[in-house]
Amino acid sequence: TTRRMHAPDPPAPEAATATAHPPESPPSSSALPPAEEDTAGGFERLRILVVEDEDFAARVVQALCEKCSYEVTIARSAEAALDFLAADAARPATEQFNLILVDIVMAPGRMSGKELLLALRVERVERCVVMMSAIHQRAMVEECIRSGAESYLVKPIRLEDVARLWQVVM
């Protein structure tokens, strides 16, 4: 699903990590994530690596993920995401990231989200990847899907979009 919204994004530090807490009041949607355990999917809680270099956007996505009781780690660059994923490989499979949510546009001179997606596929990183961007162009969406992304979200991201992310992992 794609949504169109716009929000300003100030610059951000390189990397930050946060763990989600249970929501105070869950969103009223039939697409809510499983409570704690989903034996068919093989995970107890969705663990998301969010790759976003803009501080405001990263905080918004983090807050939405936390409302859905997802565990969230923020990587402030594609390069930082690769470092997080290298460390993640040493953890038990049940504790690894289930999904990588990647912004397409990164700071000039840095690896872009599309380049990260291609690197993940070349390195055969077995994680679901969802791309996100304020760019709502059919060609961009199709290019990302052809390159191996499972889905594409248009910023600003809405709670309903985040609440459905667990379906991508299933």
Side-chain angles (χ1 to χ4, degrees), residues 27-66:
S28 59
S29 167
S30 61
L32 286 176
E36 271 298 311
E37 184 172 351
D38 184 312
T39 53
F43 60 90
E44 292 182 5
R45 176 176 287 173
L46 193 61
R47 292 169 185 84
I48 301 177
L49 176 61
V50 175
V51 186
E52 173 60 74
D53 63 335
E54 299 290 340
D55 185 55
F56 179 77
R59 286 186 287 134
V60 168
V61 173
Q62 178 181 336
L64 293 173
C65 288
E66 289 174 351

Side-chain angles (χ1 to χ4, degrees), residues 13-159:
E14 185 63 27
T17 304
T19 302
H21 302 286
E24 292 183 22
S25 60
S28 59
S29 167
S30 61
L32 286 176
E36 271 298 311
E37 184 172 351
D38 184 312
T39 53
F43 60 90
E44 292 182 5
R45 176 176 287 173
L46 193 61
R47 292 169 185 84
I48 301 177
L49 176 61
V50 175
V51 186
E52 173 60 74
D53 63 335
E54 299 290 340
D55 185 55
F56 179 77
R59 286 186 287 134
V60 168
V61 173
Q62 178 181 336
L64 293 173
C65 288
E66 289 174 351
K67 275 194 163 248
C68 294
S69 298
Y70 299 154
E71 290 182 27
V72 182
T73 300
I74 304 292
R76 300 300 178 145
S77 69
E79 294 84 357
L82 292 172
D83 291 340
F84 277 116
L85 290 166
D88 193 52
R91 298 194 305 191
T94 57
E95 296 176 14
Q96 294 178 356
F97 297 115
N98 310 97
L99 184 134
I100 306 167
L101 184 58
V102 182
D103 184 29
I104 290 176
V105 179
M106 296 288 172
R110 306 300 299 260
M111 179 186 287
S112 73
K114 288 194 306 186
E115 291 169 328
L116 175 61
L117 174 62
L118 294 174
L120 294 173
R121 294 312 179 219
V122 166
E123 294 176 22
R124 298 190 187 279
V125 174
E126 297 295 324
R127 302 291 189 293
C128 294
V129 178
V130 174
M131 304 302 288
M132 61 180 173
S133 180
I135 301 169
H136 185 53
Q137 297 173 350
R138 182 181 179 108
M140 177 69 74
V141 174
E142 290 173 355
E143 180 181 348
C144 289
I145 300 300
R146 276 194 311 273
S147 296
E150 277 72 25
S151 189
Y152 186 104
L153 301 177
V154 176
K155 290 181 179 179
I157 307 302
R158 300 179 337 157
L159 181 59

